[in-house]
Amino acid sequence: MPTPRSALRRRRLLAPALAALTAAATLTACGSGDAGVSAADAKTQAADLVKVLGLKDGAGLGGGVAFKLGAALTLSGPSAGNGQSMRNAIELAAQQIKAAGGPSIELSVKDIKGPDPVAAKQAASELAAEGVPAKITSMGDGLGAMLADTDKSKILSLDGVGGAQVFTKGTQYFYGTREVAPSDAAPGALEWFKKAHPDGRTVGLVGVDLGPLNAAIQADMKAKIEAAGLTFNGLWETVSPSSQDYASMIAKVKDNEPDLLWVAFGGAAPGAFAAQAESAGIKSELLGIEFTQDAVKASKGVLDSGGFKFAMDYFDASAPPNPLAKLFAEAYEKAYGAPADFYAANAYEETLMIWDLIRRVVAAGGNPSDSAQLKAALEKDPTFASVYGGDAATVGSLQIDLKTHGVASRPMGVFEYKDGKVTALATYNVGGREFRLAP
């Protein structure tokens, strides 16, 4: 039966409205503006958080303060899952902080994509225009693209993804809150490699192309390889951060195959690379700089069957090391239905750092929306509560090195993922200190 014209007109009028409703529903489902935690859960978790952190109830928690917090995250492209994990954790922390009697945190989130330098610069410009005093940032502040604006706009920036890379040094308002990958992890990882492969001699690297920033990182890694008594074989192959086609790169690896191949990719990329490397018959020992479930999915079974080793400050949500880590891991999984990865753990930790700085500035009678006062509070005491380290009764501690703007210490190690399980092979601290093979 033909459709009456009036019905067709109604459908045409309804279509845009339905599309808008669908788009809004999609944004809500992705976590935009909704931390996924109920008010009742947030209240219970907040009480636990105050207790775990050893805080006292009252005005000292920052209640009544309205604080605008920026976030520069990879919410699209190959690293979209990482950015969403971070956003989830920031929103979770913000709700817990508010429920604890702390400040109301308004979050302004910007997508830096792959990261893409154009998107990163745009994010920096928009956050500066909004006047945010601080931001949770990532990827060495957008692989360096945001650093100049970070200082120019005086936005206190905490990076728990890229850390304080060689190329971030000198940026006054930038602080890395995790180990520098792979630099900080390299000495301990190379010590493990020598013990696990006593006949191994040569080391090469594949990773993302950072343009002119590559040279400083290569010089740093070459020096660490030589200090370990090993040989850099000259293999340093890179691709665009947004690419997962490694055919040309793998061909060059086959022509100059090292005993140890550092796989300096993040997110899903290590899994995709491992799958292509196995298919090409690469025999090198692969060693990643990070590990996520996105990499497992991208490997299409290769990581489960063949295993994958990585050296980093790994957060194990199934065995949280201290009371704060336990509170976070349980709250995150309850809110989002999935275990927290290290991206989420670091973003949660950083949001608590911001809250700590707000409390300090308020206690001193200052203005917590003044980034210079936040920075001064950090420099006065660069020690914060951490979800890493500690023990069953003691919260871990994160200390910023005021000279490098990175971490002064950070528990890390070499781990192996296989058949759905992560096992520690060695543990150590920054620079290989306190190295121990796992029992």
Side-chain angles (χ1 to χ4, degrees), residues 72-90:
L73 312 176
T74 54
L75 294 170
S76 60
S79 298
N82 309 340
Q84 188 59 51
S85 290
M86 294 179 70
R87 182 174 188 163
N88 288 346
I90 297 167

Side-chain angles (χ1 to χ4, degrees), residues 264-430:
F265 296 117
F273 178 86
Q276 293 176 43
E278 182 186 72
S279 179
I282 298 295
K283 302 300 182 185
S284 302
E285 174 78 272
L286 305 187
L287 185 66
I289 62 169
E290 69 171 61
F291 169 78
T292 65
Q293 285 299 317
D294 284 345
V296 176
K297 294 172 187 174
S299 78
K300 299 179 180 178
V302 168
L303 298 196
D304 277 302
S305 61
F308 182 69
K309 297 179 179 68
F310 55 97
M312 66 175 295
D313 45 353
Y314 176 64
F315 182 79
D316 188 350
S318 68
N322 67 59
L324 180 60
K326 185 174 187 294
L327 187 159
F328 162 65
E330 291 176 353
Y332 187 94
E333 184 153 13
K334 186 171 187 180
Y336 304 109
D341 57 18
F342 84 94
Y343 286 97
N346 295 356
Y348 181 83
E349 184 176 83
E350 289 171 319
T351 311
L352 295 187
M353 289 175 67
I354 294 293
W355 183 28
D356 191 341
L357 293 174
I358 291 171
R359 297 197 308 270
R360 297 182 196 181
V361 173
V362 168
N367 175 13
S369 291
D370 181 346
S371 61
Q373 293 183 46
L374 295 173
K375 185 176 187 296
L378 185 153
E379 291 175 341
K380 185 176 180 180
D381 180 5
T383 303
F384 301 87
S386 177
V387 297
Y388 294 85
D391 56 39
T394 310
V395 172
S397 175
L398 182 156
Q399 184 175 2
I400 298 293
D401 183 321
L402 296 179
K403 185 176 290 186
T404 66
H405 282 214
V407 289
S409 68
R410 188 74 159 178
M412 66 185 85
V414 176
F415 303 86
E416 181 175 27
Y417 170 86
K418 192 172 184 179
D419 294 329
K421 183 180 179 182
V422 173
T423 305
L425 304 178
T427 58
Y428 51 93
N429 211 300
V430 174

Side-chain angles (χ1 to χ4, degrees), residues 28-367:
T28 300
C30 289
S32 178
D34 181 7
V37 59
S38 70
D41 283 341
K43 187 174 181 180
T44 300
Q45 293 161 12
D48 292 339
L49 182 60
V50 168
K51 184 178 179 181
V52 164
L53 294 177
L55 303 177
K56 295 180 181 179
D57 294 334
L61 297 181
V65 172
F67 189 86
K68 190 162 188 178
L69 177 65
L73 312 176
T74 54
L75 294 170
S76 60
S79 298
N82 309 340
Q84 188 59 51
S85 290
M86 294 179 70
R87 182 174 188 163
N88 288 346
I90 297 167
E91 291 179 343
L92 174 64
Q95 283 203 227
Q96 292 176 348
I97 290 167
K98 175 64 175 175
S104 297
I105 296 176
E106 178 189 350
L107 187 63
S108 178
V109 182
K110 306 300 178 185
D111 181 12
I112 61 172
K113 301 186 178 178
D116 171 73
V118 175
K121 282 184 173 293
Q122 179 65 26
S125 177
E126 290 176 5
L127 290 173
E130 292 173 18
V132 302
K135 71 176 184 287
I136 307 297
T137 191
S138 59
M139 301 290 181
D141 226 6
L143 297 181
M146 302 178 74
L147 293 172
D149 286 312
T150 290
D151 260 7
K152 180 182 177 182
S153 305
K154 297 183 178 179
I155 299 176
L156 182 70
S157 302
L158 305 180
D159 190 330
V161 177
Q165 295 283 345
V166 175
F167 57 82
T168 69
K169 290 178 180 177
T171 309
Q172 295 304 306
Y173 276 76
F174 175 93
Y175 296 88
T177 64
R178 65 163 300 207
E179 58 99 1
V180 177
S183 181
D184 284 343
L190 292 170
E191 182 65 21
W192 164 81
F193 176 72
K194 290 193 296 181
K195 293 182 182 303
H197 300 275
D199 295 328
R201 291 289 180 270
T202 58
V203 183
L205 182 143
V206 293
V208 295
D209 187 2
L210 302 181
L213 304 178
N214 284 339
I217 298 173
Q218 183 173 343
D220 176 67
M221 285 297 292
K222 183 178 178 183
K224 286 182 168 63
I225 291 166
E226 291 175 351
L230 298 170
T231 301
F232 172 53
N233 77 335
L235 182 74
W236 191 274
E237 295 299 323
T238 60
V239 296
S240 164
S242 61
S243 175
Q244 288 193 10
D245 180 1
Y246 307 114
S248 175
M249 172 182 279
I250 286 174
K252 292 178 180 177
V253 173
K254 290 203 74 168
D255 289 340
N256 186 22
E257 196 165 341
D259 298 316
L260 175 66
L261 180 61
W262 232 295
V263 181
F265 296 117
F273 178 86
Q276 293 176 43
E278 182 186 72
S279 179
I282 298 295
K283 302 300 182 185
S284 302
E285 174 78 272
L286 305 187
L287 185 66
I289 62 169
E290 69 171 61
F291 169 78
T292 65
Q293 285 299 317
D294 284 345
V296 176
K297 294 172 187 174
S299 78
K300 299 179 180 178
V302 168
L303 298 196
D304 277 302
S305 61
F308 182 69
K309 297 179 179 68
F310 55 97
M312 66 175 295
D313 45 353
Y314 176 64
F315 182 79
D316 188 350
S318 68
N322 67 59
L324 180 60
K326 185 174 187 294
L327 187 159
F328 162 65
E330 291 176 353
Y332 187 94
E333 184 153 13
K334 186 171 187 180
Y336 304 109
D341 57 18
F342 84 94
Y343 286 97
N346 295 356
Y348 181 83
E349 184 176 83
E350 289 171 319
T351 311
L352 295 187
M353 289 175 67
I354 294 293
W355 183 28
D356 191 341
L357 293 174
I358 291 171
R359 297 197 308 270
R360 297 182 196 181
V361 173
V362 168
N367 175 13

